[in-house]
């Protein structure tokens, strides 16, 4: 009976394991194989004089990254990884690997990210790369648990849509029978429809598609958005939920993913300090003005983000944005309509999330859609529920990959996606 490699301890007597041949070392009379499965590595030591002909034939034939089955006796030995080795009675090559490998799994030579992504299945055989996706999986689980525990309903909105959420050009058109359709860039409009439907608290974790042409280290053309929308809540309330969520994610990753963090050689995460500071947009611009030349009314681009992040040094919110540069659905302050109840959650390196209290008044919403140069006619399905008892509401969208990237200090957002889609990459 096969057991996970991790379960082979110095006290184990006999074991049968399945794994990939991580490393091979031949010292003449003695051969060493490091066998790897998703739980760990194990040294297999073959004293050539003491094993049968079948074992000898198999080890002559085996290449690195072949899948093998090894059964034999376990010996405690201090110098081996995990303090034990396996001496085979049986050694079978189950699935042979071609040589040379498109990517060196042992990483003697560091590979370019492009090479790694081309051979992603081999790349994620590396324990420290697999660890990213272990953490990602846990993060998604924690987020769902957190939101379910707070009474959120999980919804799924369509990804094939007729209208752009925010107008603009960042849309992928698709052929939809005789009509023109697009891949959705955000579940925004549908989340709001569900507020009109009386759902009160919804969340969705799903893909968003953005036809951004530029190649950056923090943009994907297909990303994962964690979205919430809450009725009878203002922007302060949903910022608090977001702050609580981020903290919970960091804490739980430390609790649940110690082995993965160790495999990545980053140790326990330092949990962000709370409360996250609320930095008014006007002050943010002042901080960035000298270094980057931005002025009031400008968007906060990458350079400004960085300049402000260096000063802030920890997660923070940028609040009170000019109405003009936020989407039409962000609610202006009653006493100062040039400023709206929108916020961005920032990691010192980049934006993680955008949100706001939303406009729930039909006529104001229609007016703001026009102000943005869009036509209310193409938003009819969206505007309709605002005439039938729409509650006040607020929400945000948080980029899953940016959360993982900043949490694990990854240099490129592509490292947080198994099969990233970017300007040049459509396979694998
Ligand atoms: P940025 O200005 O950094 O390009 P954005 O303001 O256009 O981001 P939003 O429309 O506010 O993005 O989307 C909400 C969140 O979704 C962002 O804060 C980010 O975390 C994530 N996100 C948006 N677009 C992308 C993308 N192309 N790749 C990865 N994540 C994205
Ligand atoms: Mn944004």
């Amino acid at each position: 009976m096969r057991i996970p490699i991790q379960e082979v301890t110095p006290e184990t007597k006999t074991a049968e394991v399945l794994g990939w041949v991580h490393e091979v070392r031949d010292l003449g009379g003695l051969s060493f194989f490091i066998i790897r499965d998703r739980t760990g590595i194990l040294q297999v030591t073959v004293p050539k004089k003491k094993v049968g002909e079948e074992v000898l034939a198999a080890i002559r034939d085996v290449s690195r990254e072949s899948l093998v089955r090894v059964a034999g006796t376990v010996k405690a030995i201090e110098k081996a990884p995990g303090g034990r080795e396996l001496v085979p009675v049986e050694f079978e090559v189950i699935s042979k690997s071609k040589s040379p490998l498109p990517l060196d799994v042992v990483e003697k030579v560091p590979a370019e990210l492009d090479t790694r992504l081309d051979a992603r299945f081999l790349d994620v055989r590396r324990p420290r790369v697999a660890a990213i996706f272990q953490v990602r999986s846990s993060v998604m689980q924690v987020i769902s648990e957190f939101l379910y525990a707070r009474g959120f309903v999980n919804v799924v909105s369509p990804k094939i849509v007729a209208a752009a959420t925010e107008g603009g050009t960042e849309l992928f058109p698709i052929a939809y029978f005789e009509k023109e359709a697009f891949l959705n860039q955000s579940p925004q409009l549908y989340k709001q429809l569900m507020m009109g439907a009386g759902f009160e608290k919804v969340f969705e974790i799903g893909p968003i598609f953005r036809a951004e042409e530029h190649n950056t280290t923090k943009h994907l053309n297909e990303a994962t958005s964690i979205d919430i929308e809450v009725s009878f809540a203002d922007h302060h309330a949903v910022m608090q939920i977001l702050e609580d969520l981020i903290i919970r994610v960091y804490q739980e990753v430390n609790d649940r993913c110690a082995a993965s963090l160790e495999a990545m050689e980053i140790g326990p995460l330092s949990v962000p300090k709370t409360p996250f500071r609320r930095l008014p947009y006007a002050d943010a611009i002042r901080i960035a003005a000298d270094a980057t030349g931005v002025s009031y009314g400008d968007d906060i681009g990458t350079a400004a983000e960085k300049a402000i992040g260096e000063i802030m040094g920890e997660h923070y919110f940028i609040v009170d944005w000019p109405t003009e540069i936020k989407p039409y659905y962000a609610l202006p302050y009653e006493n100062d309509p040039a400023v709206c109840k929108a916020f961005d959650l920032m990691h010192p390196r980049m934006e993680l999330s955008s949100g706001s209290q939303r406009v729930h008044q039909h006529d104001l919403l229609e007016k703001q859609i026009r102000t943005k140069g869009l036509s209310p006619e193409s938003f009819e399905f969206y505007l309709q529920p605002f005439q039938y008892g729409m509650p006040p509401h607020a929400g945000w969208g948080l980029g899953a990959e940016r959360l993982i990237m900043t949490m694990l200090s990854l240099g490129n957002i592509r490292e947080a996606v198994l099969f990233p889609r970017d300007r040049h990459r459509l396979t694998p």
Side-chain angles (χ1 to χ4, degrees):
M1 265 283 283
R2 170 214 170 206
I3 58 169
I5 279 175
Q6 200 177 35
E7 287 176 22
V8 183
T9 69
E11 290 76 43
T12 309
K13 299 231 148 43
T14 66
E16 175 177 344
V17 300
L18 292 184
W20 287 268
V21 177
H22 192 63
E23 274 184 275
V24 181
R25 213 147 38 97
D26 189 10
L27 301 184
L30 210 53
S31 283
F32 295 101
F33 299 85
I34 301 294
I35 309 295
R36 183 195 70 242
D37 72 7
R38 71 189 190 90
T39 68
I41 57 171
L42 172 66
Q43 176 172 305
V44 171
T45 305
V46 187
K48 289 185 189 162
K49 290 227 169 78
K50 294 188 191 158
V51 298
E53 184 48 45
E54 272 173 22
V55 171
L56 291 175
I59 67 167
R60 267 197 299 275
D61 192 37
V62 77
S63 51
R64 277 173 51 207
E65 293 307 316
S66 294
L67 180 73
V68 296
R69 182 182 68 82
V70 188
T73 52
V74 179
K75 286 194 192 137
I77 147 169
E78 247 175 51
K79 274 186 279 175
R84 81 294 196 229
E85 65 176 9
L86 180 63
V87 180
V89 176
E90 294 170 42
F91 193 121
E92 180 191 354
V93 180
I94 292 177
S95 194
K96 193 174 166 178
S97 177
K98 242 170 78 170
S99 304
L101 295 163
L103 186 75
D104 184 7
V105 175
V106 181
E107 243 177 329
K108 294 254 156 67
V109 203
E112 297 288 331
L113 184 56
D114 261 327
T115 313
R116 292 176 45 199
L117 294 175
D118 284 341
R120 194 56 151 164
F121 74 98
L122 280 179
D123 183 48
V124 297
R125 283 188 191 179
R126 294 169 168 170
R128 70 176 187 85
V129 180
I132 296 171
F133 297 97
Q134 210 54 85
V135 172
R136 180 174 167 143
S137 170
S138 294
V139 166
M140 293 326 227
Q141 187 183 357
V142 169
I143 291 172
S144 291
E145 287 169 1
F146 175 95
L147 293 171
Y148 280 126
R150 292 194 178 208
F152 281 78
V153 176
N154 182 220
V155 297
V156 175
S157 67
K159 304 307 156 203
I160 302 175
V161 295
T165 306
E166 301 180 21
T169 50
E170 293 176 353
L171 280 172
F172 287 112
I174 58 166
Y176 193 72
F177 306 110
E178 60 284 350
K179 288 205 175 81
E180 185 182 44
F182 303 95
L183 294 177
N184 208 1
Q185 62 189 166
S186 154
Q188 181 65 28
L189 307 188
Y190 293 92
K191 292 193 294 179
Q192 293 193 260
L193 287 188
M194 295 320 292
M195 297 300 98
F199 270 33
E200 204 171 317
K201 293 177 181 178
V202 300
F203 81 99
E204 174 164 11
I205 299 176
I208 56 170
F209 303 93
R210 306 223 173 168
E212 345 220 9
E213 298 236 352
H214 44 279
N215 241 327
T216 79
T217 53
K218 59 173 188 180
H219 288 95
L220 296 159
N221 292 113
E222 180 177 5
T224 307
S225 184
I226 301 151
D227 266 275
I228 75 159
E229 203 65 33
V230 187
S231 287
F232 316 114
D234 63 8
H235 52 309
H236 298 296
V238 293
M239 274 192 271
Q240 192 58 53
I241 294 174
L242 184 49
E243 182 177 311
D244 293 349
L245 175 68
I246 298 288
I247 296 303
R248 175 70 64 80
V249 166
Y250 271 75
Q251 286 169 340
E252 293 294 322
V253 165
N254 277 341
D255 279 0
R256 302 182 192 194
C257 306
S260 298
L261 295 176
E262 200 175 304
M264 297 178 70
E265 290 169 5
I266 54 177
L269 306 171
S270 79
V271 178
K273 290 187 189 44
T274 54
F276 296 165
R277 281 155 73 189
R278 270 71 169 163
L279 180 71
Y281 165 88
D283 294 348
I285 289 293
R286 244 170 259 136
I287 293 175
D290 280 351
T292 65
V294 288
S295 59
Y296 194 97
D298 290 344
D299 216 339
I300 294 183
T302 302
E305 246 173 36
K306 225 182 128 236
I308 306 163
E310 273 167 21
I311 302 285
M312 301 301 285
E314 182 55 278
H315 291 71
Y316 63 102
F317 288 102
I318 303 179
V319 299
D320 301 345
W321 288 72
T323 305
E324 207 185 331
I325 59 171
K326 280 293 179 185
Y328 56 81
Y329 49 77
L331 181 67
Y333 281 97
E334 293 77 6
N335 57 356
D336 184 7
V339 180
C340 67
K341 301 184 178 183
F343 58 85
D344 276 9
L345 172 66
M346 309 296 296
H347 178 278
R349 286 174 69 193
M350 72 191 74
E351 176 190 323
L352 295 182
S353 171
S354 286
S356 63
Q357 181 171 346
R358 322 299 192 185
V359 178
H360 66 278
Q361 307 90 332
H362 176 272
D363 293 358
L364 177 58
L365 187 56
E366 198 182 83
K367 189 180 129 216
Q368 296 215 132
I369 288 176
R370 277 189 217 285
T371 309
K372 298 284 174 193
L374 302 167
S375 86
E377 290 71 48
S378 54
F379 290 91
E380 218 176 279
F381 77 95
Y382 168 65
L383 280 167
Q384 197 191 17
F386 289 81
Q387 293 180 296
Y388 296 89
M390 177 63 85
H393 59 280
W396 43 253
L398 164 67
E401 291 81 10
R402 289 196 189 171
L403 175 62
I404 305 291
M405 175 188 185
T406 51
M407 184 162 69
L408 300 179
S409 305
L410 305 175
N412 193 313
I413 196 167
R414 291 162 183 76
E415 295 187 64
V417 192
L418 281 172
F419 301 105
R421 290 292 171 259
D422 64 29
R423 185 76 180 82
H424 304 292
R425 183 171 291 280
L426 202 47
T427 56

